[in-house]
Amino acid sequence: NTLVSANIKKLNNYSFSQGLVHDGGKSAIYSTIDHVANRAVYNSFGDRNGCAVAYNYITGEILICVSRPSLDITKGYADIDNFESGTLISKTLYGTVPGSTQKISTLAAAFEIMGADKLFSKSYTCNGTYRNLGGQDILCHNLSGHGTENIQEAFENSCNVFFAQLVEDPDMPLDGIERVYTSMGYAINGAPQNTIDINGIKCETASTTLTNSYDFDTQWGCIGQGKTLVSPMQLMIWQSAIANESGQMTMPHIIDHATNVKGKITEIANTDHSGNIFTADTAKQVKQVMLENGQNYTSSIEGYTIGVKSGTAQVKEGAEENSLLTGFVNDNRHPIAFCVMIEDKNNGNVKTEDITKVLLDELCA
């Protein structure tokens, strides 16, 4: 219904409840969604809420777009007052706390600012807790610590302490982070937020607050908590700039083509790209780090060469945790980028890896 509402001028006598009816020569919109795969991914959530989105990072075709809870629109909206919160939106389009998936952006900023040689020469020690230069404590998810790490090890360990020290490193000036984040589409420090247009559907863009490299909130924001928000859709789109090794995003579309009442094609999709959000060299370096991390998922997402980053996001003032997984398949035969989010992950047995495996098996079969 959202797609139809945003593109109603393309249609004549379209029925919201019945959809396309060929008798009588009604015009139509044909989407890029793989409906069989979409249903399989929806079912794979079990009783969990959240969302999943996937697209072809070469062409921009959105293939999966699932959001739970949902409803059967053919049954109408008579019981709307009792709908579960989130039923009438696509969570793929709205900002959410990204957790450690934010470390992809901070990694890209570090490569862009320092270059690969200097970044890989850096090492910091994680003892589980770090008293930053502002006198505040940054906790790692591993309270026993990770020891001394380089950037590859810290990314794989998702080490908060390493990334906090990276943000306050003199070779990582805050204005450099702001520059890269802004280029990636973040609204910084309350700046006006743009939207990503997907065939008339508006997707929120990322936002964060960066005030002082030594400040807890700034470091925490670069780690993926605090005031940082990113939509699953944008997390997915960034993967195209990395997977294609171009630094340019492949912009998504959900309309494949549209026809008039006579069945003649009146619109057909084109592939569009953004300008560079970071350099091609940065894209290649981030891709390699993500691919190395992807080897940790060979047992749970078997059969694919993937670059990934997971994230655990504290929400509702720490009362719940969401689980996220974003990445790409490194295969031009199956150029799939994705983002999966499970809400309140600790109250269920479904994992983001499980849903991602279903998603890839369906799309790459």
Side-chain angles (χ1 to χ4, degrees):
N1 279 359
T2 303
L3 180 64
V4 169
S5 177
N7 293 273
I8 198 68
K9 292 182 179 179
K10 297 180 176 68
L11 300 170
N12 289 301
N13 302 318
Y14 184 91
S15 168
F16 274 89
S17 61
Q18 296 180 9
L20 171 62
V21 181
H22 289 285
D23 295 339
K26 294 183 179 180
S27 54
I29 290 172
Y30 294 82
S31 82
T32 58
I33 295 291
D34 183 325
H35 292 286
V36 173
N38 223 48
R39 171 56 65 178
V41 171
Y42 183 90
N43 291 343
S44 70
F45 275 83
D47 63 355
R48 294 290 85 202
N49 289 332
C51 63
V53 61
Y55 85 149
N56 183 312
Y57 60 72
I58 293 177
T59 66
E61 299 164 284
I62 295 178
L63 305 170
I64 301 288
C65 193
V66 164
S67 184
R68 293 178 57 100
S70 188
L71 78 159
D72 184 346
I73 61 169
T74 63
K75 296 180 180 179
Y77 300 86
D79 195 33
I80 193 169
D81 290 339
N82 295 316
F83 285 177
E84 190 174 351
S85 177
T87 297
L88 297 178
I89 65 170
S90 177
K91 295 173 182 176
T92 65
L93 303 171
Y94 293 89
T96 189
V97 180
S100 287
T101 60
Q102 176 69 12
K103 289 169 182 167
I104 298 172
S105 299
T106 305
L107 175 68
F111 276 123
E112 195 80 346
I113 294 166
M114 297 186 194
D117 290 343
K118 181 172 286 188
L119 180 58
F120 275 106
S121 74
K122 302 281 184 181
S123 63
Y124 309 109
T125 299
C126 169
N127 294 315
T129 303
Y130 172 65
R131 177 65 57 89
N132 70 11
L133 296 179
Q136 301 153 309
D137 287 338
I138 297 287
L139 300 182
C140 197
H141 64 90
N142 181 357
L143 293 178
S144 298
H146 292 112
T148 301
E149 310 161 283
N150 63 20
I151 186 62
Q152 182 69 53
E153 294 164 332
F155 190 85
E156 293 181 20
N157 291 331
S158 202
C159 180
N160 294 341
V161 166
F162 181 100
F163 276 84
Q165 293 176 84
L166 178 64
V167 169
E168 64 184 19
D169 192 298
D171 291 326
M172 187 82 160
L174 189 61
D175 60 354
I177 300 175
E178 289 186 27
R179 174 177 55 82
V180 178
Y181 276 17
T182 299
S183 182
M184 292 178 69
Y186 286 83
I188 309 292
N189 298 336
Q193 280 187 268
N194 296 317
T195 56
I196 300 169
D197 185 281
I198 307 171
N199 296 116
I201 299 171
K202 303 300 181 184
C203 173
E204 290 184 351
T205 51
S207 60
T208 193
T209 299
L210 304 174
T211 58
N212 185 321
S213 295
Y214 301 161
D215 179 66
F216 175 91
D217 289 338
T218 295
Q219 293 176 8
W220 208 228
C222 292
I223 290 168
Q225 290 289 159
K227 296 182 179 180
T228 299
L229 297 173
V230 188
S231 72
M233 183 72 72
Q234 192 165 17
L235 280 166
M236 177 196 74
I237 298 169
W238 284 331
Q239 304 310 304
S240 65
I242 297 165
N244 288 326
E245 300 183 6
S246 64
Q248 296 180 330
M249 299 180 294
T250 304
M251 303 312 295
H253 61 267
I254 198 168
I255 293 179
D256 180 77
H257 65 282
T259 60
N260 62 17
V261 292
K262 296 182 179 180
K264 182 179 178 180
I265 293 177
T266 56
E267 178 181 318
I268 192 164
N270 294 311
T271 298
D272 294 320
H273 298 91
S274 71
N276 279 81
I277 61 173
F278 37 69
T279 65
D281 188 60
T282 289
K284 292 175 184 177
Q285 296 293 343
V286 174
K287 180 178 182 179
Q288 188 56 44
V289 171
M290 292 187 68
L291 285 171
E292 289 284 338
N293 189 42
Q295 294 181 19
N296 296 321
Y297 291 79
T298 53
S299 60
S300 55
I301 310 178
E302 185 179 5
Y304 305 97
T305 301
I306 56 174
V308 293
K309 184 69 188 80
S310 63
T312 298
Q314 296 177 354
V315 296
K316 298 182 180 179
E317 298 183 348
E320 293 181 6
E321 292 183 333
N322 295 344
S323 179
L324 297 96
L325 188 69
T326 189
F328 57 88
V329 179
N330 190 36
D331 186 344
N332 284 337
R333 298 170 302 170
H334 306 294
I336 306 301
F338 57 86
C339 184
V340 174
M341 179 182 71
I342 297 174
E343 296 175 349
D344 195 14
K345 72 181 185 71
N346 297 321
N347 280 329
N349 296 320
V350 180
K351 298 180 179 179
T352 52
E353 300 99 296
D354 302 331
I355 295 171
T356 300
K357 182 65 163 63
V358 171
L359 183 153
L360 296 181
D361 283 351
E362 290 291 328
L363 294 179
C364 300

